[in-house]
Amino acid sequence: MSADKRIGIAGLGTVGSQVAARLLSGAVPGAVLTAVSARDASRDRGVDLSGQRFVSNPQDLASADDVDVVVELMGGEGGVALDLVQAALKAGKPVVTANKAMLAAHADSLSEASCGSPRVPLAFEAAVAGGIPVIKAVREGMAGNEISRLSGILNGTCNYILSRMEVAKLGFEEALKEAQDKGFAEADPFLDVSGTDAAQKLTILSALAFDVAPDMAHVSLTGIEQISAQDISFADGFDSVIRLVAMAEHRGAQGVFHQVVPMLVKKNTTLAQVSNELNALKIEAEPVGSIFLQGPGAGGGATASAVLGDISDIVQGFGRALFRAPTSGMKESATQNAPDSEYYVRLALADKPGSMAKATQILAENGVSIEEVVQRSSQAGDSFLPVVFITHHCEISALRAAVGALEAQKDICNEVLALPVFTEEM
Ligand code: NDP
Ligand code: HSE
C-alpha cells in the first residue's frame, strides 16, 4: 500500500479552515494534513490544529520535507500565492488551488510549469462555481463533445446581492455586507461586484471548452454596481429579475465571444430560479445537447467540497495539469460584438413637456424601436422621473449610439442604464 499523501495548506480563512477540518476528520482517505500556514498563527480557526506544523512563510511549504501536496487558499492575483504555487510546481509537487484571479492572470507561466515536462498536477475545481464540479463536467465528462456555448451565473456574491435586493428589499450595500459576513465575497469585493471574478472564471472555463488562452482584456464586462432598488422594482413590473450572466460563445472562424453583464431575466426561466449564492452553468454541446448544472457557488463548505475532491484525485493518482497544453499553444481570444438583443433602458427624464418625445426621437433616430415604456409618477419636488423603455431586438452598436445620444441631452435625461434582456435561447 502506498504511503499517505502529506498535505500542506496555505490559508486558513473561510475555505482553508473548512478544508483543514475535513481532512482532520478523515474525509479524504490517503491524505493527511501535516502543515498549515496563515498570517496569524494565534487566531482560532474553529479547528484544533495543534498537531500540525505551523509555517510562517507559506512559500516554505513548497520545499518542506513533510509536504507532498500544496493547497493554496490564500487568494490574490500574484504575490505570495503565485510565488508559492510556482515554487511548488518547480519542486514537482502537485498543487490544489481555488484562486481564479491567479489562474486567469498567470495562465501562461502556470501552464508552462504544469503542462510542461514533467507534467505536475495543478487542480482548480474550486476556482469556478464553488461546489459545482463544472471543471470536471467540461473537461472530463464532455471530453468527446464539441462545446458551442457556456452560459450561466458564476458569482455567488452578485447573485446573493441581487436576490436579497429583490426578496428582502435590502439596499445594495446592506446586501453586500451580508454576503461578506457569510464568507461569499472576495477579500476585495470590487472583484465581485465589478463582474471581474465572474469574468476570470469564464476565461478559465473557456480555455477548457474552446482551447482559448485566458484573456481578461477580451471579455465584454459590466458589473452590478449601477443596479438600484428601482431597477429591481422595474424588473419585477416586467415579471423579471436581474441576474449577472456570464457567457462564452464559439463563433466559428471569428473565435470566441466572452461577456459578463447584468441582464433582465423573465421569472419563468430556469436562470431566474437560481437565487442567493447559487451558481449555474448551461453547457451546450454536440452530441449531448444541453446540460444545466446548479449548486452552491460560494462559501466555505461548498468551496471546501471542490478542494477536497481535487485532493482526493491527486491522492488516487488522477491529478491533471492546468490545461491540456501550455497557453502558448492555444488560440488567441478576440474582442467581438454582443449578440442582438432586446434591451431594458432606464433613465431619469426631465418632468417637462417634450422630454419624452425627445427621448423616443433619439431612440428612433438610432434605429432602436420601443416595445414597451413605463414612467413612474413623480414625488413632490422631483424634476426628473424614472422611465424605462424595453426595446425591440437591436444591434449593440445601435443601442450604444442611442445611449450616447441620450446621455448627451443632459438637460432632459441622465442616469442612463441599458441591460440586455435574457431569453432562454441565449
Ligand atoms: P479568506 O480571506 O477568508 O482567507 C485567506 C487566508 O489566507 C487567511 O487565513 C489568511 O491568513 C491567509 N493569508 C492571506 N495572505 C497571506 C500571506 N501573505 N501569508 C500567509 N497567509 C496569508 O479567503 P477565502 O478563504 O474566502 O478564499 C481563499 C481563496 O479561495 C481565494 O483565492 C478565493 O478567491 C477562493 N475562493 C473563495 C470562495 C469563497 O466562497 N470564500 C469560493 C471559491 C474560491 P489570516 O487568517 O491569518 O489573515
Ligand atoms: N467571491 C466569489 C463568489 C467566491 O462570490 O462567487 C466563489 O468563487
Side-chain angles (χ1 to χ4, degrees):
M1 228 177 73
S2 60
D4 285 345
K5 290 282 185 214
R6 297 161 304 170
I7 312 294
I9 300 180
L12 294 170
T14 305
V15 182
S17 57
Q18 298 234 22
V19 173
R22 296 288 299 169
L23 285 176
L24 289 173
S25 68
V28 181
V32 55
L33 181 63
T34 49
V36 293
S37 182
R39 279 180 295 224
D40 183 348
S42 62
R43 186 179 296 173
D44 179 7
R45 309 286 173 178
V47 50
D48 180 7
L49 293 168
S50 53
Q52 281 60 48
R53 190 164 69 87
F54 188 89
V55 179
S56 316
N57 180 357
Q59 201 165 341
D60 291 346
L61 294 174
S63 53
D65 289 338
D66 59 352
V67 172
D68 303 313
V69 178
V70 170
V71 180
E72 185 283 305
L73 296 170
M74 295 180 289
E77 185 178 302
V80 195
L82 182 63
D83 290 347
L84 169 61
V85 171
Q86 278 174 335
L89 294 173
K90 198 167 172 203
K93 290 189 185 180
V95 172
V96 177
T97 183
N99 192 335
K100 55 269 172 166
M102 176 184 71
L103 294 177
H106 300 284
D108 46 0
S109 65
L110 293 173
S111 67
E112 281 293 333
S114 169
C115 312
S117 181
R119 290 170 84 80
V120 187
L122 173 47
F124 55 99
E125 184 63 71
V128 184
I132 317 173
V134 291
I135 302 297
K136 269 198 163 64
V138 169
R139 182 173 60 188
E140 292 153 53
M142 304 187 69
N145 284 263
E146 193 170 336
I147 299 177
S148 53
R149 180 204 280 252
L150 303 167
S151 59
I153 292 171
L154 295 179
N155 184 270
T157 299
C158 289
N159 211 52
Y160 186 85
I161 292 172
L162 294 170
S163 301
R164 295 291 287 159
M165 288 174 76
E166 167 197 324
V167 175
K169 310 293 176 217
L170 297 188
F172 188 99
E173 293 301 331
E174 209 182 342
L176 170 59
K177 172 79 171 48
E178 275 194 6
Q180 289 177 297
D181 291 347
K182 287 174 179 282
F184 303 151
E186 295 303 301
D188 176 1
F190 173 76
L191 292 172
D192 295 294
V193 299
S194 64
T196 306
D197 176 86
Q200 289 163 345
K201 293 165 175 166
L202 187 67
T203 62
I204 294 167
L205 281 178
S206 189
L208 298 174
F210 306 121
D211 221 20
V212 169
D215 185 351
M216 290 289 287
H218 288 141
V219 182
S220 171
L221 179 58
T222 311
I224 64 164
E225 307 101 312
Q226 287 189 69
I227 307 296
S228 63
Q230 196 174 65
D231 294 311
I232 304 280
S233 160
F234 270 122
D236 188 52
F238 295 115
D239 208 21
S240 300
V241 295
I242 298 175
R243 293 284 180 265
L244 183 69
V245 182
M247 197 251 279
E249 181 179 72
H250 196 271
R251 293 183 175 174
Q254 284 177 281
V256 180
F257 169 70
H258 297 92
Q259 173 178 270
V260 174
V261 66
M263 287 185 154
L264 203 71
V265 181
K266 279 278 182 217
K267 285 183 184 169
N268 62 3
T269 60
T270 325
L271 207 60
Q273 314 306 318
V274 180
S275 61
N276 294 327
E277 76 276 21
L278 293 184
N279 279 194
L281 182 70
K282 182 177 173 187
I283 310 166
E284 291 163 69
E286 286 299 329
V288 69
S290 169
I291 286 178
F292 188 79
L293 301 166
Q294 176 184 318
T303 313
S305 163
V307 172
L308 292 160
D310 278 345
I311 294 174
S312 172
D313 272 357
I314 287 170
V315 164
Q316 295 178 68
F318 301 142
R320 292 191 179 225
L322 176 57
F323 298 129
R324 190 186 48 76
T327 55
S328 52
M330 290 182 175
K331 287 170 268 183
E332 279 185 27
S333 188
T335 310
Q336 291 168 29
N337 275 340
D340 291 1
S341 173
E342 293 179 11
Y343 284 89
Y344 162 98
V345 181
R346 177 262 289 163
L347 46 93
L349 193 64
D351 189 11
K352 61 183 184 190
S355 50
M356 177 63 88
K358 181 70 185 164
T360 55
Q361 183 194 344
I362 287 173
L363 291 171
E365 281 169 1
N366 288 281
V368 177
S369 148
I370 301 164
E371 184 178 306
E372 215 173 327
V373 57
V374 176
Q375 177 173 323
R376 291 260 163 96
S377 56
S378 59
Q379 310 286 317
D382 283 353
S383 52
F384 282 79
L385 306 178
V387 170
V388 166
F389 298 105
I390 302 290
T391 74
H392 283 291
H393 261 85
C394 67
E395 289 182 10
I396 181 75
S397 53
L399 191 275
R400 282 197 187 125
V403 166
L406 286 167
E407 282 171 335
Q409 300 286 327
K410 296 201 187 317
D411 55 327
I412 62 151
C413 73
N414 55 51
E415 297 173 19
V416 187
L417 174 77
L419 308 178
V421 176
F422 175 87
T423 59
E424 209 70 92
E425 298 75 48
M426 290 188 114

